[in-house]
Amino acid sequence: MQDCLFCKIASKQISSKIIYENDFVIAFNDINPVAPVHVLVIPKIHIKDLNNIGKENEKYVLECIKAIKEVAKITGICDDGYRVISNTGENGGQVIPHLHFHVIGGKNLGAKIVN
Ligand code: AMP
Ligand code: ZN
């Protein structure tokens, strides 16, 4: 999608610190990390959010889930544990309307999900 920031990151029009990539997904460091490890995993096609997953794009979504595991391995947080979040819509706090999974770890995040 032309004006989408994450589409531009996926097509490398905008640079990012890439952690992992394949034909379907790209994973890059969040520009404003909330923990020692904070990586965003996104599909390389424009999908707005979780509400827009369907038969036509499910391969990309499955690849995102598999990429999360790869990111956890690469960044060394696999065994200690981590959190995955996909903010959806206004109440979910979604700022960038391109499906993404925050992979957050590298410290003990506690049990509380919302402050
Ligand atoms: P969300 O609120 O779930 O839409 O989160 C969007 C995330 O994208 C935030 O954590 C931002 O810090 C992050 N972000 C915004 N612009 C960039 C960028 N150019 N490179 C990397 N991360 C970004
Ligand atoms: Zn997009």
Side-chain angles (χ1 to χ4, degrees):
M1 203 201 212
Q2 219 174 6
D3 288 325
C4 172
L5 174 68
F6 283 0
C7 281
K8 286 179 180 163
I9 286 178
S11 65
K12 319 253 170 80
Q13 284 174 261
I14 291 177
S15 66
S16 64
K17 175 77 181 72
I18 298 169
I19 303 298
Y20 174 81
E21 182 180 16
N22 66 25
D23 287 346
F24 301 93
V25 308
I26 185 164
F28 53 96
N29 277 340
D30 194 296
I31 207 168
N32 189 19
V34 298
V37 173
H38 187 170
V39 176
L40 300 174
V41 176
I42 70 169
K44 282 190 171 177
I45 57 167
H46 186 81
I47 304 171
K48 187 182 171 204
D49 59 22
L50 290 170
N51 292 336
N52 288 276
I53 294 171
K55 276 267 167 240
E56 70 285 3
N57 56 32
E58 65 187 13
K59 170 72 176 159
Y60 286 81
V61 180
L62 176 62
E63 288 292 330
C64 282
I65 303 301
K66 287 160 68 180
I68 289 167
K69 179 188 70 179
E70 296 306 322
V71 166
K73 281 187 198 166
I74 292 163
T75 56
I77 60 173
C78 209
D79 292 341
D80 285 343
Y82 53 94
R83 181 168 294 158
V84 178
I85 296 171
S86 189
N87 296 328
T88 306
E90 198 177 336
N91 276 5
Q94 185 177 12
V95 173
I96 311 285
H98 179 128
L99 178 66
H100 53 281
F101 298 90
H102 296 256
V103 181
I104 300 165
K107 70 173 186 181
N108 193 321
L109 299 165
K112 213 171 173 184
I113 294 169
V114 177
N115 293 324

